[in-house]
Amino acid sequence: MKKHTITLFVFAFSLFLGSHSQAQSKKWTLSECVDYAIENNISIKQSELDSQSAALQKSNAIGNFLPTFNINGSHSWNIGLNQNITTGLLENQTTQFTSAGINSNVTIYNGLQNQNRLRRANLSILAAQYQLTKMKDDISLNVANAFLQILFNKENLKVQKEQLAINEKQLIRSQELVNAGVIPRGDLLDIKATVANNSQAIVTAENALLISKLSLAQLLQFKDFADFDIAEEDYVQKDNAILLQTPKTIYQKAKEDRVELKIAKTNLDIAEKDVKIAKGAYQPSLQGYYGFSTRAGYSDRVVGFETNGTPILAPALPVFDQFDENKGHSFGLQINIPIMNGFSVRNNVTQSKITLERSKLAFSQQELDLERNIFTAFTDANGAVKAHESAITALEARQEAFNYAKEKYDVGMMNAFDFNQSQTLLANAKSEVIRTKYDYIFRIKVVEYYFGIPIINK
């Protein structure tokens, strides 16, 4: 029985280690990173809270149309010399009184301020939704950039390791050539120095890869990022169809779809509603009101007077009978006409107009910024594509030059310094191809972003 228990424990522990290892070895795709960031990013959560606040503002605006309704009540004790409200006499005694009431008010007209506040609240909800969408788009673009940076650093690390392997083989070959007397011993020392430099380059590339992983993990709000890694998928752009468009066409499309302009336009509409709300205070306001009240006392009451004028007292009626006898209603209309209020209304209108002009300028500036950003992104994307093509051509030339240099070095027709220069130029050319590759991928995605194409295609 004990042996069977130990076997079960070992089996369960193995399953735990297997699942833990599988969790640690998970490699995140770009789509998973974007989805996780949108779900967990703090800035996005704050924008979602802003949307909830805007919804509460609408609830308050709707509440302004509803009548107010309040119930009040009180119970008091009067000790000592007090006027008995039942007899009207000053008496030195303890009396108790209960009163209750209901009052209600409703705004009939206030310069259409309530209507404009409701319209403003709806615009605030729309602006908050646009802001949330923009936040998600910006986070997606930042995640894509950080993701591509990791891919670049991974490929660059591979290039450095491949270069080290080549140089280590060359070191062995150089040792053979020195032993055969084909090349001087100084060339062998140069190759050893090159191998040492390659080892240092690998350490630098590993550090760059670790930092880029850390940056993406922090962007995703990961608390445990020690084992974080991404899937090494091929994100080479299959085509550059977006570059067949013109910047003007992309701009016209962006004017219809981009949330930056929608946010600026909505803020402009909100400012116009604020002006109308402020102007509404110039107009008279009309309110309707209704009130109900009743009371009861617990001391003796006057039921008549004797011939000498002395009041005849009798015990108080039951409380509910008193409530029924003492009840009263009041209702009516109240109008307020603003005439002089310390310039507060005028100043509020003036301030609202200033804010409106600021919103108009902000909207115009947003249009200019969007146009400039699109033309810049389009130019950068074209330049990045051409730079990548040039880097590939340069790499092919550097590879041919290196092959030729290697042939000359192997037969002793080239010294180690010149050969190392050829190797360095080849390694730089490979790194440049990788850098321009991911730079042009990101630049293309930025142009697609403005054209309305999602960062990731699900």
Side-chain angles (χ1 to χ4, degrees), residues 413-441:
M413 296 179 62
M414 178 179 285
N415 58 42
F417 177 80
D418 292 336
F419 180 67
N420 288 339
Q421 286 292 103
S422 179
Q423 282 185 315
T424 301
L425 292 174
L426 177 61
N428 292 340
K430 289 180 179 179
S431 297
E432 185 65 11
V433 168
I434 298 172
R435 186 193 67 79
T436 56
K437 167 187 171 183
Y438 288 107
D439 181 61
Y440 111 81
I441 291 175

Side-chain angles (χ1 to χ4, degrees), residues 83 174 216 228 308 372 386 400:
Q83 184 180 28
S174 297
L216 180 56
F228 173 73
N308 60 0
R372 183 185 67 252
K386 293 177 181 178
E400 291 294 329

Side-chain angles (χ1 to χ4, degrees), residues 2-19:
K2 183 177 181 182
K3 181 178 181 181
H4 180 66
T5 303
I6 294 176
T7 303
L8 287 176
F9 173 77
V10 172
F11 179 71
F13 185 70
S14 300
L15 288 178
F16 169 76
L17 289 179
S19 61

Side-chain angles (χ1 to χ4, degrees), residues 343-413:
F343 305 115
S344 62
V345 175
R346 188 188 69 176
N347 291 339
N348 287 337
V349 172
T350 303
Q351 184 61 52
S352 298
K353 288 181 177 179
I354 293 174
T355 304
L356 176 60
E357 291 302 316
R358 289 182 184 275
S359 298
K360 290 179 179 178
L361 293 175
F363 179 71
S364 299
Q365 185 63 52
Q366 189 63 59
E367 286 185 320
L368 294 174
D369 291 344
L370 181 62
E371 184 178 19
R372 183 185 67 252
N373 292 339
I374 289 175
F375 274 79
T376 301
F378 189 86
T379 303
D380 290 345
N382 271 301
V385 171
K386 293 177 181 178
H388 183 58
E389 294 172 351
S390 299
I392 293 176
T393 302
L395 175 60
E396 293 173 352
R398 290 298 178 190
Q399 186 66 56
E400 291 294 329
F402 172 75
N403 293 339
Y404 179 67
K406 186 175 183 303
E407 292 176 0
K408 293 177 65 177
Y409 178 77
D410 288 343
V411 296
M413 296 179 62

Side-chain angles (χ1 to χ4, degrees), residues 54-99:
L56 286 177
Q57 292 178 11
K58 181 179 180 179
S59 179
N60 290 333
I62 294 175
N64 290 333
F65 288 95
L66 303 177
T68 61
F69 185 83
N70 298 287
I71 299 176
N72 58 76
S74 67
H75 184 88
S76 62
W77 288 264
N78 296 320
I79 303 175
L81 185 62
N82 292 286
Q83 184 180 28
N84 190 322
I85 64 172
T86 301
T87 65
L89 301 176
L90 290 174
E91 300 177 1
N92 193 356
Q93 63 177 348
T94 299
T95 59
Q96 299 182 53
F97 301 97
T98 299
S99 63

